[in-house]
Amino acid sequence: MEKLTIKKQLFEKAIQQQQTLVRDIQKRLSDLKESITSLEVGSFGGSDDARREEDVEDIQQEKIHLANAKAELNKLEALFRDVQIDAKVGVGSIVKTEQFNFVFAINMPQIELNNERFMLVSDQAPVFKALEGKTVGEQAQINRHYYTIKEIF
């Protein structure tokens, strides 16, 4: 299969996973907001008041998670729009090494495509920093592990 097609398919899968995450967070937010409105106003210090305070804190955390998830989705969509074959490792590169296949974009669960697994890794991760700018055949060491680049696209 052509490298550009594989790269597009990987980004499409990653975008779908990230869209699911955004929807899940939005659902949790909605549920939390509903929970707050369903609680009866109790006496000061009552269990409903404590629960409401916890829900308010949870809502604030979920709002942060949602903003981060949306930002990562936007990043994936931008990389997909500008998808191209890379000669050097950079943000958006697919990199195959003897040990792992990487998609350098955001952190998320692995994606399987054509019986191969691809680890999605942030461009802030040490493995990306070590491989950034390198070309096929070059090697990088991260801790005690060596990664030799077999393919970039």
Side-chain angles (χ1 to χ4, degrees):
M1 187 179 285
E2 183 188 341
K3 289 179 181 181
L4 190 58
T5 301
I6 293 169
K7 192 169 185 176
K8 285 179 180 179
Q9 289 176 344
L10 284 167
F11 274 99
E12 286 171 343
K13 282 186 156 207
I15 287 168
Q16 289 170 355
Q17 281 187 11
Q18 195 66 19
Q19 287 170 333
T20 299
L21 176 63
V22 167
R23 283 191 301 275
D24 289 348
I25 296 169
Q26 289 170 329
K27 173 77 169 103
R28 284 194 303 269
L29 263 170
S30 176
D31 291 347
L32 284 167
K33 288 175 182 177
E34 187 177 309
S35 173
I36 285 176
T37 58
S38 70
L39 293 174
E40 292 181 24
V41 176
S43 61
F44 181 75
S47 63
D48 282 350
D49 289 343
R51 169 84 187 276
R52 188 176 293 106
E53 286 179 27
E54 288 176 16
D55 286 348
V56 168
E57 289 176 20
D58 290 345
I59 285 172
Q60 295 307 318
Q61 288 300 312
E62 289 300 329
K63 284 182 177 180
I64 292 167
H65 292 145
L66 181 60
N68 290 337
K70 284 182 174 180
E72 290 180 334
L73 177 59
N74 290 338
K75 182 177 185 176
L76 287 171
E77 290 171 340
L79 290 169
F80 180 71
R81 280 191 300 276
D82 298 332
V83 71
Q84 60 186 353
I85 299 300
D86 301 320
K88 293 183 177 185
V89 177
V91 177
S93 293
I94 311 300
V95 177
K96 292 185 173 187
T97 70
E98 72 286 349
Q99 294 179 18
F100 300 106
N101 299 323
F102 298 101
V103 178
F104 291 119
I106 67 170
N107 282 328
M108 71 177 347
Q110 291 182 28
I111 292 177
E112 190 168 322
L113 182 67
N114 302 328
N115 296 318
E116 287 186 282
R117 290 180 186 221
F118 293 84
M119 295 176 57
L120 282 95
V121 179
S122 166
D123 56 354
Q124 301 302 308
V127 68
F128 173 76
K129 297 295 186 191
L131 291 171
E132 185 177 21
K134 296 196 180 303
T135 59
V136 172
E138 290 189 273
Q139 187 178 66
Q141 180 181 356
I142 298 97
N143 298 323
R144 290 177 278 182
H145 302 282
Y146 289 90
Y147 298 92
T148 302
I149 300 171
K150 303 286 186 196
E151 207 171 342
I152 303 170
F153 53 100

